[in-house]
């Protein structure tokens, strides 16, 4: 009767939120009003929201119960000390400064660690990370392996740093001119692709031999640890928690958007092992975020983060998360829809260059595909292509990334397998009539992080 052993969500539902099904005519009207940008849609017009996994998670009863224990003192909230202890326990860093979200951490760390004119190496850019590095006077240099830029190539650790490229950068500019290397694990913009432990060890050794610090973007590092457990020799008998801590120990500092891995709606932190850096960050946080024991968060938010971490780090929790993403990915692969492979940890990425092969990159195929999917089905996704890549900070030209993707991102514990089936069905329907799609023209372009607010018109 069953083709495969059934599996199901490792939770049951206690509170529900009604979703609205709209008709195509309404969706076409509102996407035009939104300038063909899914970020500018109202969430009440969305049926299944796969825009992002950031802050969109469903918290557990354990987390909600913790919210009632919020200690909303201005200074020294007990929730902060609990969070600090949990981060020390599961991540292993000595010093923690809370921030309102990931980019608050990136802002301060970039300012504290980059001297104007320095270079920052990284395994593919992330939008906010690179912008904060640039605003601090740095120049980002991509040192990810070439395979990461090819959606079809199969590689178990497609997020790996190319050690040769990193070494070449150090030789070219001199170690003193490399502020640090930032390792994102897994790599969001490459399709949620993981970094192996062996690679992280090699990065850490090369960096430290040259006196360069390693900064981990730990945003989804629990997912990365799960991939190591599943794919890397020697790790299958270790728990995700053990692997995660071993990985973090290879870095000197971390920035974190808790809105992802930690199952909360808001929160972040920056952590490090170096007292001087900590002092600087702790000084800075009072200017930009709030006192060093709340960093822009309510006490209850810190409690939810601390408890979310305890749940997120469990093997069953993370295994389900990644398998749910794979479930959608495999359905699309079977139907011949071009997606980034292997399937990543937090999202399925449609390869818009192959999907809308007739549209040139500067007609924004990924932007259009995300919008068309919304119009056809009410499913909201996000562009991760030329719009997200922005412009070259020297020449002002559009950056033309090899990857022109649409991200179907999974909020944690929010949607069921039936929702995922609906998403698969609609993507396949759209794929079957892909040749009808028209491109877009950009009619409004913000100066920073343009993908959030840019507006477009459909070409005639
Ligand atoms: N680093 C990574 C890898 C991220 O994915 C994000 C956010 C950040 C840093 C910044 O954190 O949003 O809390 O300020 N990614 C979201 C996304 C926006 O949809 O992928 P933040």
């Amino acid at each position: 009767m069953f083709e495969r052993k059934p599996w199901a969500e490792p939770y049951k539902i206690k509170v529900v939120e009604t979703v609205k099904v709209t008709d195509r005519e309404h969706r076409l009207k509102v996407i035009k009003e939104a300038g063909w940008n899914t970020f500018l849609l109202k969430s009440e017009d969305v049926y299944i929201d796969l825009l992002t996994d950031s802050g969109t998670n469903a918290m557990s009863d354990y987390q909600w119960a913790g919210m009632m224990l919020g200690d909303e003192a201005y200074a020294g909230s007990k929730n902060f000390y609990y969070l600090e202890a949990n981060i020390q326990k599961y991540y292993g860093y000595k010093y923690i400064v809370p921030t309102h979200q990931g980019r608050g951490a990136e802002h301060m760390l970039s300012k504290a660690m980059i001297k104007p004119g320095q270079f920052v190496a990284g395994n593919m850019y992330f939008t906010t990370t690179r912008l904060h590095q640039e605003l601090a006077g740095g120049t980002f240099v991509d040192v990810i392996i070439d395979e990461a830029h090819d959606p079809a190539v199969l590689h178990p650790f497609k997020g790996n740093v190319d050690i040769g490229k990193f070494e070449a950068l150090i030789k070219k500019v001199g170690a003193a001119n490399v502020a640090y290397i930032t390792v994102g694990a897994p790599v969001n913009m490459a399709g949620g692709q993981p970094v192996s432990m062996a690679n992280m060890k090699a990065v850490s050794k090369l960096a430290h031999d040259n006196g360069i610090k390693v900064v981990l973007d730990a945003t989804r590092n629990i997912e990365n640890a799960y991939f190591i457990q599943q794919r890397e020799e020697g790790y299958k008998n270790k728990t995700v928690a053990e692997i995660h801590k071993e990985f973090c120990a290879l870095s000197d500092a971390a920035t974190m958007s808790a809105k992802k891995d930690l199952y909360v709606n808001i929160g972040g932190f920056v952590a490090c092992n170096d007292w001087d850096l900590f002092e600087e960050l702790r000084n800075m946080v009072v200017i930009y975020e709030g006192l060093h024991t709340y960093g822009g968060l309510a006490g209850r938010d810190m409690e939810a983060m601390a408890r979310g971490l305890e749940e997120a780090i469990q093997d069953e929790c993370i295994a389900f998360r990644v398998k749910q993403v794979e479930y959608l990915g495999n359905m699309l692969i079977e139907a011949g829809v071009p997606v980034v492979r292997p399937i990543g940890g937090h999202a399925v990425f449609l390869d818009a260059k192959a999907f809308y092969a007739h549209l040139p990159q500067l007609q924004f195929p990924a932007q259009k595909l995300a919008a068309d999917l919304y119009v056809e089905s009410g499913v909201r996704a996000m562009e991760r292509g030329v719009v997200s890549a922005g412009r070259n900070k020297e020449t002002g030209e559009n950056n033309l990334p090899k990857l022109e993707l649409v991200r179907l991102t999974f909020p944690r514990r929010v949607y069921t397998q039936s929702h995922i089936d609906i998403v698969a069905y609609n993507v396949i329907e759209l794929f079957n009539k892909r040749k009808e799609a028209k491109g877009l023209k950009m009619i409004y372009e913000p100066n920073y992080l343009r993908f959030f607010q840019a507006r477009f018109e459909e070409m005639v």
Side-chain angles (χ1 to χ4, degrees):
M1 179 182 164
F2 292 107
E3 274 173 36
R4 61 174 173 83
K5 194 173 169 212
W7 55 281
E9 292 75 8
Y11 47 82
K12 57 183 181 173
I13 296 164
K14 190 173 324 217
V15 176
V16 296
E17 184 181 339
T18 307
V19 288
K20 193 169 95 183
V21 187
T22 51
D23 59 34
R24 191 179 186 282
E25 195 188 341
H26 175 76
R27 293 192 296 265
L28 186 58
K29 175 173 162 284
V30 296
I31 195 77
K32 283 184 181 164
E33 285 166 5
W36 297 87
N37 186 343
T38 53
F39 277 102
L40 300 178
L41 289 168
K42 289 186 180 149
S43 116
E44 63 178 11
D45 288 323
V46 174
Y47 173 37
I48 297 176
D49 202 349
L50 304 186
L51 184 72
T52 176
D53 61 334
S54 182
T56 53
N57 310 301
M59 293 206 296
S60 66
D61 50 357
Y62 177 60
Q63 286 175 290
W64 278 107
M67 298 279 279
M68 287 307 292
L69 303 177
D71 170 4
E72 307 306 342
Y74 187 86
S77 159
K78 69 177 180 206
N79 312 114
F80 166 72
Y81 294 108
Y82 183 40
L83 174 64
E84 184 187 46
N86 262 358
I87 296 171
Q88 286 164 340
K89 178 172 169 191
Y90 292 110
Y91 287 78
Y93 301 105
K94 281 192 201 147
Y95 309 116
I96 287 96
V97 177
T99 59
H100 78 285
Q101 62 182 81
R103 68 200 73 179
E106 292 169 348
H107 172 212
M108 296 195 300
L109 185 104
S110 305
K111 262 193 144 75
M113 289 186 66
I114 300 170
K115 292 195 204 85
Q118 281 188 317
F119 295 86
V120 188
N123 54 343
M124 199 172 271
Y125 82 101
F126 184 71
T127 53
T128 56
T129 321
R130 182 179 65 188
L131 182 57
H132 279 299
Q133 292 164 353
E134 289 176 355
L135 291 173
T139 299
F140 173 80
V141 182
D142 185 8
V143 294
I144 202 166
I145 56 171
D146 287 341
E147 287 88 337
H149 294 283
D150 185 337
V153 162
L154 289 173
H155 185 300
F157 292 102
K158 234 173 155 178
N160 279 354
V161 170
D162 184 323
I163 301 295
K165 286 187 193 169
F166 182 30
E167 205 163 17
L169 173 71
I170 300 171
K171 283 217 176 87
K172 188 169 153 209
V173 304
N177 289 318
V178 180
Y180 55 89
I181 178 165
T182 179
V183 178
V187 184
N188 191 350
M189 302 301 280
Q193 303 297 329
V195 174
S196 72
M197 188 73 80
N199 186 252
M200 186 62 171
K201 281 184 186 159
V203 169
S204 184
K205 171 144 190 3
L206 178 60
H208 292 151
D209 285 351
N210 285 280
I212 297 169
K213 300 267 189 240
V214 179
V215 174
L216 178 64
D217 180 341
T219 297
R220 298 183 185 83
N221 203 58
I222 297 176
E223 281 171 21
N224 198 75
Y226 173 74
F227 281 120
I228 291 175
Q229 185 193 55
Q230 297 300 307
R231 297 182 184 170
E232 193 163 351
E233 187 76 40
Y235 286 93
K236 72 171 187 298
N237 295 324
K238 292 199 174 173
T239 63
V240 167
E242 286 164 345
I243 299 167
H244 177 256
K245 201 163 175 183
E246 185 180 332
F247 199 90
C248 293
L250 295 164
S251 69
D252 304 287
T255 55
M256 175 71 189
S257 170
K259 298 171 75 172
K260 283 78 165 177
D261 257 359
L262 302 194
Y263 285 78
V264 284
N265 304 121
I266 193 74
F269 62 82
V270 50
C272 64
N273 293 325
D274 178 87
W275 175 264
D276 292 338
L277 176 60
F278 171 57
E279 279 232 283
E280 181 62 16
L281 294 167
R282 201 172 53 163
N283 262 269
M284 232 184 252
V285 76
V286 298
I287 312 171
Y288 297 114
E289 303 275 314
L291 197 74
H292 60 279
T293 56
Y294 76 83
L297 297 167
R300 56 179 172 268
D301 296 327
M302 292 189 283
E303 187 68 22
M305 263 166 80
R307 291 180 176 221
L309 171 53
E310 290 165 14
E311 295 180 339
I313 201 82
Q314 304 302 326
D315 282 28
E316 318 76 69
C317 188
I318 184 63
F320 168 73
R321 156 132 188 94
V322 177
K323 281 183 186 156
Q324 193 182 41
V325 178
E326 276 173 357
Y327 174 71
L328 174 63
N330 290 338
M331 275 194 284
L332 297 181
I333 290 171
E334 268 171 41
V337 176
V339 297
V340 174
R341 300 177 67 183
I343 302 301
H346 64 302
V348 174
F349 289 72
L350 305 177
D351 177 1
K353 261 189 195 166
F355 201 112
Y356 282 168
H358 61 293
L359 298 183
Q361 196 166 17
L362 283 174
Q363 287 185 20
F364 312 106
Q367 185 75 28
K368 187 59 179 355
L369 179 52
D372 286 346
L373 180 63
Y374 170 72
V375 173
E376 293 308 319
S377 65
V379 173
R380 171 157 71 171
M382 169 196 298
E383 191 262 9
R384 278 303 183 216
V386 63
V387 186
S388 294
R391 291 180 182 272
N392 181 294
K393 85 176 166 105
E394 307 296 328
T395 65
E397 292 295 314
N398 281 296
N399 292 319
L400 297 175
K402 288 210 181 108
L403 297 176
E404 179 72 23
L405 309 176
V406 168
R407 190 181 73 172
L408 300 160
T409 337
F410 284 56
R412 294 164 189 78
R413 296 192 290 223
V414 171
Y415 293 115
T416 61
Q417 273 193 63
S418 342
H419 289 114
I420 310 299
D421 289 343
I422 288 178
V423 174
Y425 175 84
N426 282 294
V427 172
I428 294 164
E429 286 281 289
L430 194 60
F431 185 62
N432 291 337
K433 53 178 188 179
R434 60 193 176 277
K435 300 222 166 69
E436 295 165 25
K438 293 184 199 138
L440 294 174
K441 188 167 81 187
M442 200 188 303
I443 54 166
Y444 166 67
E445 180 175 355
N447 287 337
Y448 301 110
L449 303 177
R450 64 184 184 179
F451 56 96
F452 283 128
Q453 290 150 345
R455 302 183 71 86
F456 302 82
E457 252 170 29
E458 194 175 36
M459 316 241 323
V460 279

